[in-house]
Amino acid sequence: MLYYNTVHQVNTKDYTDAQINAWAPRVYSNAYWQRRFKRYTVYVAEENGVIAGFAEFEPTGHLDCFYVHHAWQRQGVGGLLLKRIEANARQPKITRLFADVSVTALPFFKAMGFRVVRKQKKIYRGQSFQQYVMEKRGIR
């Protein structure tokens, strides 16, 4: 639900209804997320048993699916998730984090020290999306 609701309630300021519906067409089952999470280290922020945000991290330094619940936007949840990822990335000596970042998330990642490497267009389910490849170097 968090993924679906965040996309449908937060990202609507930067993307069309058609793009939003292509990005998050339905609420995916728990089995879908369990299969997906097997490929990543998953970080979860929780408040009183409610998931406030989550992020997927690969040992290459790649961040994927970085989402904060719409009710917890701009309250430090994303920053806490990123700090935890950075702390754990230091142990295997990952010196660079990188992600494909939405227009909506661009200001957050900039504020967290990421820089734009390049703009890109991605196609999801027949819709074109403006995104940014961003990175943060010097994770030590």
Side-chain angles (χ1 to χ4, degrees):
M1 275 302 257
L2 184 147
Y3 170 79
Y4 180 89
N5 286 336
T6 299
V7 172
H8 281 263
Q9 294 184 36
V10 175
N11 297 92
T12 55
K13 68 183 180 106
D14 297 306
Y15 295 95
T16 67
D17 287 345
Q19 288 171 313
I20 293 294
N21 289 324
W23 185 346
R26 66 183 183 280
V27 175
Y28 293 103
S29 69
N30 286 343
Y32 167 85
W33 290 108
Q34 288 170 354
R35 282 190 310 275
R36 182 178 172 90
F37 288 167
K38 287 180 182 179
R39 299 188 329 238
Y40 300 94
T41 300
V42 180
Y43 295 85
V44 178
E46 202 176 323
E47 175 86 21
N48 296 323
V50 177
I51 297 174
F54 76 96
E56 298 170 339
F57 178 70
E58 294 180 276
T60 61
H62 181 245
L63 298 172
D64 199 4
C65 269
F66 197 107
Y67 290 92
V68 173
H69 188 290
H70 66 277
W72 276 280
Q73 295 283 311
R74 290 180 252 333
Q75 295 183 38
V77 173
L80 290 173
L81 284 168
L82 190 56
K83 283 180 186 175
R84 182 64 183 258
I85 290 168
E86 287 178 358
N88 290 338
R90 288 182 191 108
Q91 295 179 16
K93 305 279 190 231
I94 295 170
T95 59
R96 173 182 172 257
L97 299 178
F98 61 99
D100 293 337
V101 175
S102 70
V103 172
T104 310
L106 180 67
F108 166 79
F109 279 93
K110 280 185 174 180
M112 295 293 110
F114 283 71
R115 69 173 188 86
V116 174
V117 175
R118 70 179 178 279
K119 284 173 99 171
Q120 67 182 5
K121 295 272 186 194
K122 285 249 179 149
I123 305 293
Y124 296 120
R125 296 183 183 95
Q127 293 293 314
S128 178
F129 291 82
Q130 177 66 60
Q131 289 184 339
Y132 300 87
V133 174
M134 297 189 79
E135 70 177 8
K136 183 175 185 178
R137 291 190 174 269
I139 307 302
R140 297 192 209 311

